[in-house]
Amino acid sequence: MSFALLFSGQGTQHPAMLPWLADDPLVRRTCAQLGVDDWRRALADPNWAERNDNAQTLLTGLALAAWGQLAPMVPSPAAVAGYSVGELAAFSAAGVIDPATTAALAPRRAEAMDRCAARAPGGLLAVSGLAEQKLEQLRVEAGLELAIRNGNASVVLGGPIAALDDAERMAQAAGAQCTRLRVNVASHTPWMREAAESFSLALAEVPFRAPQVVLFSNAGDRIRDAKSARAALAAQIAQTVRWDECMENISARQVRCVLEVGPGQALARMWNQRYPAIPARACDDFRSADAIAAWLNSHAEP
């Protein structure tokens, strides 16, 4: 079997996510980090769920736990990537950082980003349905930066709140589809440069290893050694996530299916729209780990 493993970003977290996830030591450690007894009950409070520090810590810990519970049941993936904060879990799944260290890094990443946001409040706006040239014109006129590129006509713009408000009005007037993401920082833009530098210092204290499986970064490049892994994980905080290139690189590995680990089905949906001949499913689609493993195994080589 040849499959790719994708780790979701934040913004679609919800109390019913990962319905099959067992309450293992990593889940309990994540709850202790957050000071909550029940993470599902905590997510039911939108104010709690949308806080950057809560979301990044919770989603990283749960993604690590989910893959830890699935990994013994399936072969190693042929390729791994993570979307935004999902890169933390992806790098761990690829063997670059151990799970416990990765879980401890998530709140430090969020803290660095929140410090930037406190000085320059911002956010993210998903825009689709406009030609690439129109999207770029909108970005420039609104004074925003390109945070995430999912495709030529599907992007996420980031920047100050007032600029996002202007961009949303302009985009809707032009007939675009807009969604304000449930984040309160201008992730993956120059407004997060200090956060990237701060997180780089935190990563310098952490032992890194070369990936044990093929690993792609949000910069669209393959990570081949510990040094480039450390640099990429910090830099992506303030640089554009080139997810379209990430998907192209994974497709080139000729995988037979794709599994998204995390909340929602956003990455699986994007993949299926782009590569309909290669099926993608999300962990949120299943009621048990056994069912996920069975689906992956059903795409084994004959």
Side-chain angles (χ1 to χ4, degrees), residues 279-296:
R281 297 285 301 274
C283 281
D284 264 12
D285 294 339
F286 298 89
R287 303 299 301 177
S288 71
D290 286 339
I292 297 172
W295 180 77
L296 286 173

Side-chain angles (χ1 to χ4, degrees), residues 208-225:
F208 271 61
R209 297 177 292 274
Q212 297 172 17
V213 300
V214 175
L215 173 66
F216 293 108
S217 78
N218 283 178
D221 302 316
R222 181 174 174 180
I223 300 299
R224 298 181 181 274
D225 53 47

Side-chain angles (χ1 to χ4, degrees), residues 3-7 67 70 77-82 90 93 250 257-261:
F3 73 97
L5 196 61
L6 307 181
F7 287 89
W67 177 240
L70 284 172
V80 179
I250 291 171
C257 63
V258 172
L259 178 68
E260 176 182 359
V261 180

Side-chain angles (χ1 to χ4, degrees), residues 8-62:
S8 315
Q10 69 193 86
T12 56
Q13 56 269 22
H14 58 96
M17 62 184 273
L18 302 172
W20 50 272
L21 187 65
D23 188 20
D24 68 6
L26 193 46
V27 172
R28 290 192 290 273
R29 188 183 309 150
T30 300
C31 287
Q33 276 183 292
L34 291 165
V36 300
D37 295 326
D38 184 334
W39 63 268
R40 295 189 189 277
R41 188 165 61 241
L43 275 181
D45 176 359
N47 292 325
W48 188 93
E50 292 176 18
R51 277 183 47 179
N52 192 49
D53 54 347
N54 291 339
Q56 294 200 31
T57 301
L58 179 68
L59 295 183
T60 300
L62 296 185

Side-chain angles (χ1 to χ4, degrees), residues 10 16 19 22 37 55 58 85 116 150 153 183 198 213 232-233 245 257 263 291:
Q10 69 193 86
D37 295 326
L58 179 68
V85 70
C116 284
N150 294 319
V183 298
S198 176
V213 300
L233 205 52
E245 293 184 21
C257 63

